[in-house]
Amino acid sequence: MKFMVRKECLNRSRLGSLLFDALHNETNVKTTAEYPTPLCLQYTMNGSVPHIVSDLLDQLNDDNSPFLIPLPTTYLMNESLRQFNSAFNGVKSGIVDFAGLKKWRPSIVSVYDPLLAINGGHNTVEGIGVFCRGGKQTVNSSKLIDVVTNFKPDAYQAICDSDTPSNASNKRGLNPRARTKSAKESAAKTLVDGFVIDGFHAYGSQSDTQLDFVSVKPILHEIMEILPKDKPKILLGALSPKLIIKLIDSGIDVFDSSYASVMTEKGFALQEVIDVNGLKVKENSLDLNSKQFKEDFGVIETHCQCYTCVNGFSRAYINHLLNASEMLAKVLLMFHNLHTFYHFFAQIRRLLDEDSFQQLLR
Amino acid sequence: SKGLSFEVVADCGQTRARLSKLTLKSLSDGSLGRDVTIETPMFMPVGTNATIKGLLPAQVEGTGCQLILANTYHVGSRPGVDTVDRAGGIHELMRWPNALLTDSGGFQMVSLSKLSEVSENGVLFKSPYDKDSTHTVSDEMLLTPEMATQMQHKIGSNIMMQLDDVIKTTHPDEQRMETALHRSIRWYDRCRVTHSKAVADDKTGRHARQNLFPIIQGGLNPEFRRQSAREIVARDPVGIAIGGLSGGEAKDKFIEMVAVSTESLPANKPRYLMGVGLAIDMLMCVAFGVDLFDCVYPTRTARFGCALVGYGKEVSLRSTSMALDFTPLDSECDCNTCVKYTRSYVHHLMRDKNTVGCHLLSEHNIRFQMRFMQKIRDAIRDGVFAEFIADNLRYHFGDRDNYPQWISQAISQLKLDV
Ligand SMILES: [Zn+2]
Ligand SMILES: [Zn+2]
C-alpha cells in the first residue's frame, strides 16, 4: 500500500490516492489499483458485506473500494484459512478468495470491529482481547503475524491498546500528553504505511454520539502536526456524514462504511447528504418501519441510482418486509444506504477538488 | 382459457409421468410483467410474505425459477390485500416479473390460527398476529369462498386456489371427511361464480388472465378421492390441485392417495400437488402423473444450515467437520454459491448466524430443486425415467431390500422393475 497526496486543501483537508499493487492470480499480471481519498473502506462482517452475497457486489456502486476485514468476526477462520491456502496451493489464497470476494479488490485487516463496542479492561501483557463468537481470544503480535500470513491482506493494523472508553477523559484516550507521546513514538516508526487514529470512541453503533468532536479537535490537530504528512490517516467507526466532514477537515483520509450498516439494521434509509449545489449538509433519513410508508409506493429516492431504487422496490414494500421481519428488507436497504454513503464521499472529493468543501462546514 | 395453456410434450410410457409446457399469461400491461412458459414437472419455491427468504427476484430467477408461490393468508394479514391491490398487484409490489401462484388461505387458517371453526358459509378464524401489527385482516374473521377468491383477485396471482375445507388426513371421523369433500366441491362452485362475475365486470382483462384451480380432497379414503376427482373433472377446470396430503399421514397412505387422485384426470390439464418438496417424494409423485409441487422445505432447511446435495441428501453446514471442508456444497451444482464458495466458508457464516450464509444456502437449495426437476424432465424426454427412479432408489436406500414400504408399494403399482 502506498499513499500520495494529490492536493493540499484548506485547513488539513486534502485529496490523495491510496495505491495497491495487485498480482492477478490467473493472469499473473501485476497491476496497480488507485483509490482516491478521502476514501470509504467497504466494511465486512465474517468477510462479507453485511446482507450482500458477493455476486451482488457489482451492484453496490461502492467504487470497488478496498475491503475492511475486522478481526473479531474473522479471527476464528484463521485455521480454516491456513489449510485453505495449502489445499488450493496458491491458486486461491487469503481471506478475499476464501470469502468469495473479488480478487482485484484490496483488503485491510483491522484489530477492532467498527460495529462491535470494545469492552474495557481485557487487554493484558499477553496481548489484546479480540471478542469473537464464544468469547475472548488473546492476540499478541506473533498471533497477528500468523493471521496476516494466512489472511494475506494488502495492509493490516498493528495491535494496539485501544482499551479506553472515549468518555473517560482522565484516561489516555483524551489525555493530550499520552496522545502526543503515542503519536511521536508512532511517527518514529518509519516502516509503517499509515496511521490508525484510535481511542476517540469505543466502537459499536454508538460511536457517532460518543465522539465528542469539540474535545477531540485540539488533540487530533496536535497529533496531525506530529505524524508525517505523506502517510494516510485512518479513523474507523460508524460515524455520521457530519462528523466525517469535520474529520476530513482535520486531516483524516480514510473511513469505513459501517455507518450505512447501522442505519440498515435500524430499518432506516439514508437520504442524499449534500444537496446538488454542494451547499448544504442534510442529515435526513427515512424510518421505513413507520406506518406512514405503508402505502407509499414510490422508491426511497426518486433520482437515486442504487439497485433498490433503480429496480423499483418501493418504500411500501420495504416497510412491509421490515414489518414481517423478512431478511430482504436489509438487503434492499443495504444497497441504498451504501450507494448513498459512497455518493457522499464522491461529492466530498469533488468539492475538495473545486475548493468548495469548506462551505459544508458552515 | 385466456390466462393458461398446457400441452403435454412427451409421455414416459412406463409410468404416468409426462413432460409438458405450461404457459401463464402476464396480468400486467406495464413493463414489469411477462408471459412465462415453463416446462413441467416443476417445483415452486414459497415466498410466504411476498418474498423468497432474503433473495432478490433476480437471484430467484437466476436459479431457473419462473413460478413462485405466495400465501394469501400471510399477504392478507401483512401488508393486506387492499394494499397489494393499490400497489398494482403482488408482481409490482415484490418486483417479480414472472408467474406466481397463491393458495386460498384455508390451510394456514386451520394450521396457524388460535381458533378456527368451519361452517357451510366459510372458515371462522382468529388472526395469530397481535392487534398493533398493521394487518388488515381483523381479529375474528369469517373467510368465505367468495372472499378467498376476491382476495386473490386483489393480490393478482396467475394461479388462484379455491377455498377448500381442509381437515388433517389423520382426522378419525370418516363422516367429517365426507362432509369436507362435498363441501369443498360446493365451495369450488361458489369460487367459480365469484371468479366469473369478476371476469365479466373487469374491463382491463386482468382477472380473465387469472386461473382458478379446484382442489381434490377426500382424506385417506380412496373412494372419497375418486368421487372428489370425478366431480371436479366434470366442471372442466383449467388445472387441478391435489390437497389435504403431506400433513403427517403415513407415507404409504400418502402415495396411495396421490395415485388414486391422478388416475382418472384428463391428460391435458396441469396437476399440482400441494405442500410436497422432498426430492424422493416429488420423484415418486411425478411417476403418478403430478406436474407441479411447492414446499417451504428447501428455504427452511437452508435457514437451519442445511444444503441439499446429490439426489436430495442433506448436509449440515453447522457441523464442525465442515470447518476444513474446501469442496463446494455440491460439486455437481452450478449455482453461484457452489461456483464461488467452499463449505468451510459457509460453515463459518452459519456458525456466526450471518444472514449471508442463509442467502447462499437458500440460493443453492432452490437451484438444487430446479436442477432435480430438470433431471426428471430430461429423463422423461430421453425415455429413461424408470432408470432415473432406479438410480435414485439406489442412492437413497441401496439394496432393494432396504426400500421403505411405501416405495415398494409404489413401484409395484407402477409395475416398475427397479
Ligand atoms: Zn436508492
Ligand atoms: Zn449450488
Side-chain angles (χ1 to χ4, degrees):
Chain A
M1 183 179 92
K2 287 196 193 75
F3 183 67
M4 277 186 325
V5 179
R6 298 273 182 203
K7 178 182 174 181
E8 305 259 12
C9 308
L10 272 178
N11 293 338
R12 287 175 175 79
S13 63
R14 64 225 196 130
L15 284 165
S17 289
L18 265 190
L19 302 159
F20 293 89
D21 282 339
L23 187 68
H24 200 275
N25 278 343
E26 278 145 18
T27 55
N28 233 21
V29 173
K30 204 172 172 180
T31 51
T32 302
E34 185 175 341
Y35 297 94
T37 65
L39 172 70
C40 179
L41 302 175
Q42 181 58 274
Y43 170 80
T44 65
M45 187 183 277
N46 305 110
S48 281
V49 175
H51 306 294
I52 305 292
V53 301
S54 67
D55 285 303
L56 299 173
L57 286 176
D58 282 343
Q59 318 286 344
L60 278 184
N61 308 345
D62 64 353
D63 307 321
N64 282 322
S65 293
F67 292 117
L68 178 72
I69 314 275
L71 262 193
T73 60
T74 51
Y75 184 74
L76 295 181
M77 297 178 186
N78 190 30
E79 194 50 40
S80 292
L81 263 160
R82 184 197 319 281
Q83 302 203 27
F84 172 83
N85 294 342
S86 55
F88 285 94
N89 201 19
V91 178
K92 284 184 183 177
S93 71
I95 185 102
V96 171
D97 281 350
F98 185 60
L101 301 167
K102 282 234 174 74
K103 277 195 186 90
W104 52 91
R105 276 213 213 190
S107 57
I108 300 176
V109 165
S110 68
V111 172
Y112 294 107
D113 189 317
L115 292 187
L116 296 176
I118 302 174
N119 296 320
H122 289 282
N123 297 342
T124 62
V125 282
E126 274 88 57
I128 56 156
V130 172
F131 289 86
C132 307
R133 169 185 82 234
K136 185 181 83 163
Q137 300 280 333
T138 302
V139 179
N140 57 26
S141 43
S142 68
K143 277 190 181 157
L144 184 69
I145 295 302
D146 184 49
V147 164
V148 167
T149 311
N150 298 323
F151 280 41
K152 305 196 190 304
D154 296 86
Y156 64 97
Q157 180 193 356
I159 57 170
C160 53
D161 181 5
S162 293
D163 204 357
T164 316
S166 61
N167 51 0
S169 51
N170 57 331
K171 292 210 187 146
R172 196 192 35 206
L174 290 184
N175 177 331
R177 222 166 352 131
R179 270 281 167 189
T180 313
K181 180 168 171 282
S182 165
K184 278 182 177 154
E185 285 168 3
S186 304
K189 296 193 167 76
T190 50
L191 279 172
V192 300
D193 299 302
F195 298 94
V196 176
I197 315 292
D198 222 345
F200 286 140
H201 61 76
Y203 293 109
S205 54
Q206 303 296 313
S207 301
D208 192 48
T209 45
Q210 280 176 359
L211 200 156
D212 172 17
F213 188 74
V214 178
S215 20
V216 160
K217 192 177 173 180
I219 310 159
L220 184 59
H221 286 195
E222 203 177 323
I223 297 164
M224 288 302 176
E225 281 305 308
I226 298 161
L227 295 176
K229 288 219 158 27
D230 60 349
K231 297 275 163 78
K233 318 297 186 307
I234 303 164
L235 201 151
L236 303 174
L239 307 173
S240 69
K242 272 191 178 145
L243 196 47
I244 286 172
I245 289 169
K246 290 174 189 157
L247 290 164
I248 287 172
D249 191 53
S250 302
I252 302 293
D253 303 295
V254 179
F255 301 87
D256 74 273
S257 66
S258 53
Y259 184 75
S261 283
V262 170
M263 299 305 275
T264 297
E265 293 309 323
K266 288 198 292 192
F268 282 46
L270 281 167
Q271 292 184 284
E272 190 168 56
V273 180
I274 301 173
D275 69 11
V276 250
N277 306 315
L279 292 172
K280 237 175 67 194
V281 181
K282 305 169 290 182
E283 215 157 73
N284 300 333
S285 54
L286 300 175
D287 176 1
L288 289 180
N289 301 289
S290 161
K291 277 196 175 112
Q292 72 178 102
F293 299 111
K294 183 168 161 52
E295 300 217 347
D296 188 338
F297 299 117
V299 296
I300 302 170
E301 292 215 278
T302 320
H303 300 291
C304 180
Q305 290 299 304
C306 83
Y307 183 89
T308 302
C309 295
V310 165
N311 288 291
F313 295 96
S314 65
R315 294 172 172 190
Y317 186 48
I318 298 170
N319 170 261
H320 158 65
L321 294 172
L322 287 167
N323 256 323
S325 308
E326 283 287 348
M327 290 183 285
L328 190 63
K330 307 285 172 70
V331 176
L332 294 173
L333 278 172
M334 210 63 212
F335 279 119
H336 175 82
N337 287 338
L338 281 171
H339 171 88
T340 308
F341 208 59
Y342 277 92
H343 180 63
F344 160 68
F345 272 85
Q347 280 176 305
I348 286 190
R349 290 191 296 268
R350 182 173 59 81
L351 293 173
L352 282 168
D353 195 40
E354 293 168 357
D355 298 314
S356 36
F357 173 70
Q358 290 298 318
Q359 64 200 20
L360 295 179
L361 290 146
R362 271 185 227 128
Chain B
S1 162
K2 286 199 174 101
L4 179 151
S5 60
F6 183 76
E7 183 199 349
V8 177
V9 177
D11 276 308
C12 163
Q14 269 178 287
T15 70
R16 291 186 212 162
R18 68 257 191 85
L19 174 74
S20 316
K21 275 203 169 106
L22 170 67
T23 301
L24 294 161
K25 289 282 181 191
S26 165
L27 266 67
S28 92
D29 302 314
S31 56
L32 180 74
R34 62 172 79 118
D35 298 347
V36 161
T37 298
I38 58 168
E39 282 195 321
T40 64
M42 181 49 99
F43 170 83
M44 299 179 275
V46 179
T48 301
N49 290 311
T51 161
I52 306 256
K53 298 297 167 196
L55 300 183
L56 293 164
Q59 290 174 293
V60 176
E61 197 175 72
T63 65
C65 168
Q66 289 186 299
L67 174 58
I68 62 171
L69 181 145
N71 294 117
T72 294
Y73 179 73
H74 289 92
V75 173
S77 304
R78 303 180 293 211
V81 290
D82 291 315
T83 299
V84 176
D85 192 22
R86 285 190 280 269
I90 195 165
H91 298 73
E92 282 293 330
L93 180 72
M94 63 186 290
R95 310 304 294 163
W96 172 249
N98 301 300
L100 183 139
L101 177 151
T102 41
D103 61 4
S104 68
F107 175 73
Q108 257 88 21
M109 252 156 259
V110 174
S111 58
L112 291 179
S113 64
K114 294 166 200 157
L115 169 149
S116 76
E117 230 176 75
V118 183
S119 66
E120 186 57 28
N121 201 19
V123 188
L124 184 75
F125 74 103
K126 258 187 174 162
S127 168
Y129 298 106
D130 56 48
K131 282 181 186 164
D132 330 8
S133 81
T134 55
H135 68 85
T136 55
V137 175
S138 61
D139 261 22
E140 203 172 278
M141 179 183 137
L142 178 74
L143 183 79
T144 62
E146 290 77 12
M147 287 165 67
T149 312
Q150 284 156 359
M151 285 174 83
Q152 294 177 83
H153 281 146
K154 285 179 176 170
I155 291 172
S157 46
N158 301 81
I159 298 177
M160 316 187 290
M161 290 295 135
Q162 74 152 103
L163 182 70
D164 56 346
D165 183 3
V166 194
I167 355 165
K168 281 214 165 79
T169 46
T170 47
H171 198 286
D173 186 353
E174 284 275 294
Q175 191 93 52
R176 176 68 185 88
M177 211 57 101
E178 193 173 6
T179 307
L181 128 72
H182 291 295
R183 182 177 283 149
S184 290
I185 304 284
R186 289 192 294 273
W187 283 4
Y188 171 50
D189 288 336
R190 286 165 62 183
C191 291
R192 284 202 301 157
V193 169
T194 308
H195 185 50
S196 308
K197 267 190 204 149
V199 170
D201 293 347
D202 171 28
K203 289 185 185 64
T204 65
R206 193 174 152 83
H207 294 325
R209 294 194 291 272
Q210 291 189 272
N211 307 282
L212 177 67
F213 279 28
I215 302 172
I216 296 176
Q217 285 290 354
L220 301 179
N221 181 319
E223 206 30 62
F224 291 174
R225 287 266 161 196
R226 285 194 189 98
Q227 220 176 324
S228 178
R230 257 199 315 276
E231 292 280 350
I232 280 167
V233 171
R235 286 159 172 80
D236 194 27
V238 282
I240 297 157
I242 300 161
L245 293 172
S246 200
E249 68 278 354
K251 262 303 182 31
D252 50 349
K253 279 287 169 197
F254 159 80
I255 199 73
E256 186 193 341
M257 289 307 112
V258 172
V260 168
S261 300
T262 60
E263 74 190 354
S264 52
L265 296 182
N268 62 347
K269 309 211 162 158
R271 302 143 182 187
Y272 156 41
L273 177 59
M274 305 173 82
V276 171
L278 283 175
I280 186 74
D281 294 2
M282 292 194 295
L283 179 68
M284 298 317 288
C285 292
V286 165
F288 284 109
V290 175
D291 306 303
L292 288 169
F293 301 90
D294 83 281
C295 196
V296 292
Y297 166 69
T299 41
R300 175 172 292 169
T301 203
R303 287 204 299 293
F304 292 131
C306 288
L308 301 172
V309 303
Y311 284 150
K313 281 187 182 160
E314 284 185 7
V315 170
S316 171
L317 274 300
R318 289 216 173 128
S319 142
T320 43
S321 66
M322 292 293 149
L324 299 176
D325 189 335
F326 303 114
T327 59
L329 298 179
D330 184 341
S331 49
E332 304 271 293
C333 183
D334 56 359
C335 82
N336 291 319
T337 307
C338 291
V339 168
K340 246 182 207 167
Y341 297 91
T342 60
R343 291 176 169 192
S344 171
Y345 183 61
V346 179
H347 163 81
H348 284 288
L349 289 175
M350 292 315 288
R351 288 297 292 262
D352 268 15
K353 300 185 171 68
N354 189 315
T355 59
V356 173
C358 292
H359 301 337
L360 293 175
L361 284 171
S362 290
E363 197 176 344
H364 166 80
N365 284 355
I366 293 175
R367 179 66 192 140
F368 171 87
Q369 300 287 94
M370 294 299 128
R371 284 173 54 248
F372 187 73
M373 297 321 276
Q374 178 75 56
K375 286 175 199 167
I376 287 180
R377 292 193 300 271
D378 289 346
I380 299 171
R381 192 184 342 249
D382 300 342
V384 292
F385 185 58
E387 285 87 331
F388 185 68
I389 292 178
D391 282 351
N392 271 267
L393 297 183
R394 267 195 301 277
Y395 172 86
H396 282 288
F397 311 111
D399 252 20
R400 198 179 294 218
D401 302 340
N402 299 330
Y403 290 1
Q405 161 62 24
W406 73 279
I407 295 273
S408 306
Q409 177 192 314
I411 56 176
S412 84
Q413 194 184 341
L414 291 163
K415 302 190 175 60
L416 285 178
D417 182 29
V418 293

